[in-house]
Amino acid sequence: MFVAFPAGGATDILARMLGTSMGGILKQSVVVENKPGAGGMIGLEAGAKSTPDGYNLFLCALTNQAIAGHLYPKATSDITRDFEPIALIANGAHVLNVHPSVPARNMTEFVAWLKAGDGKVNYASQGNGTLSHLEAELLLQTLGVKAVHVPYRGSAQALPDLIAGQVSFMFDSVAASQSFVKNGQLRALAVTTSQRIALYPDLPTVEEAGVKGYNADNWFGLYAPKGTPADVRNKLADAVQKSLTDKALAENLLQKGFVVGFSDARQLAAVTASDRAKWGNVIKTANITL
């Protein structure tokens, strides 16, 4: 199961938990192979070039991939052209985290602080072209302010610098950052999704907190390389569905910040197209290039 981000991030956590469950159902060992870099394009290419025999899968951070597809127009692999959709798996919430030195306890105070430091504040992301990057850029464009982008190669590399105060804020997955929020090393201000999440019931969405029209649902889907036989894809989809109906796994994923819900290949294809169009418009409007 190829993953386009380093170990420790949301995509990796989801892949390992789902892979363990699917392995039990399929009576096969599921090995997660991390291929980070280039906004997810390195992992995408590795998955696309793998043998389409049912033993190679690509667990895609779909929203990240929709963004990267616009920012890397010369990429040799494409999520729609080179893959077969298997199943839509989950929505993994991202959260706006700040270093405790930032004098903001809520989004209203954060926006005021950001405007006061226009162009001088720095922020981390999981890498150029990732959702983590675009979430911040969308907020900055919406507010009409600037900040300095400091890209990393995933959450595992960015979080230590955020915790150390080398950067001031970051949009990151709940899965990767929640332990640091709980122990006070980071402060969470809002979630980026269109609805609040069960793990942080008292934390507002960015839109609820006053930034109108802002939301960034973060979808995850499972794909197989193009040419994987239909009967094999159906068997894999069945294993995903059985995995996600396991209450223990669903609760565990909920505690990691995921909203779990199985949808079939057709729905995954529809969400893929919708996300690609949405983020393409955002990138074009904001004039974001890499």
Side-chain angles (χ1 to χ4, degrees), residues 162-198:
L162 180 61
I163 291 167
Q166 299 299 315
V167 286
S168 296
F169 73 92
M170 179 181 177
F171 284 93
D172 196 19
S173 68
V174 171
S177 62
Q178 64 172 323
S179 62
F180 305 112
V181 173
K182 285 181 178 180
N183 66 22
Q185 291 177 284
L186 298 175
R187 183 185 305 130
L189 299 184
V191 292
T192 63
T193 43
S194 51
Q195 296 180 335
R196 294 191 185 201
I197 62 171

Side-chain angles (χ1 to χ4, degrees), residues 91-287:
N91 186 353
H94 275 205
V95 62
L96 172 59
N97 294 313
V98 301
H99 185 265
S101 65
V102 174
R105 293 281 173 179
N106 53 52
M107 276 299 294
T108 300
E109 293 177 354
F110 178 76
V111 169
W113 172 79
L114 199 57
K115 288 182 176 179
D118 188 6
K120 298 178 182 178
V121 174
N122 62 4
Y123 72 92
S125 82
Q126 297 169 356
N128 284 318
T130 62
L131 177 60
S132 174
H133 175 201
L134 267 291
E135 285 166 331
E137 289 294 339
L138 177 58
L139 179 67
L140 295 171
Q141 291 288 332
T142 302
L143 298 175
V145 298
K146 295 185 181 299
V148 179
H149 178 214
V150 183
Y152 292 81
R153 286 177 58 86
S155 296
Q157 286 71 38
L159 285 169
D161 276 6
L162 180 61
I163 291 167
Q166 299 299 315
V167 286
S168 296
F169 73 92
M170 179 181 177
F171 284 93
D172 196 19
S173 68
V174 171
S177 62
Q178 64 172 323
S179 62
F180 305 112
V181 173
K182 285 181 178 180
N183 66 22
Q185 291 177 284
L186 298 175
R187 183 185 305 130
L189 299 184
V191 292
T192 63
T193 43
S194 51
Q195 296 180 335
R196 294 191 185 201
I197 62 171
L199 191 62
Y200 289 151
D202 298 325
L203 203 63
T205 68
V206 174
E207 184 172 34
E208 280 181 323
V211 185
K212 297 302 179 184
Y214 186 103
N215 77 77
D217 287 315
N218 180 29
W219 298 107
F220 290 84
L222 187 66
Y223 297 80
K226 198 76 170 180
T228 302
D231 61 331
V232 174
R233 301 199 308 266
N234 291 336
K235 186 175 182 178
L236 290 166
D238 183 63
V240 173
Q241 187 170 23
K242 288 178 179 177
S243 293
L244 296 181
T245 55
D246 180 86
K247 291 183 178 179
L249 176 62
E251 179 60 28
N252 203 345
L253 287 170
L254 181 68
Q255 294 305 312
K256 299 293 186 184
F258 293 99
V259 179
V260 178
F262 172 87
S263 292
D264 62 18
R266 182 176 297 181
Q267 183 62 25
L268 174 56
V271 172
T272 302
S274 175
D275 243 27
R276 178 168 282 188
K278 172 185 174 177
W279 288 105
N281 288 333
V282 171
I283 290 166
K284 183 177 180 180
T285 300
N287 194 30

Side-chain angles (χ1 to χ4, degrees), residues 66-90:
I67 292 167
H70 291 284
L71 296 175
Y72 294 89
K74 296 182 180 180
T76 58
S77 300
D78 180 84
I79 192 63
T80 300
R81 183 188 67 232
D82 300 316
F83 289 87
E84 308 277 8
I86 302 295
L88 189 64
I89 299 169

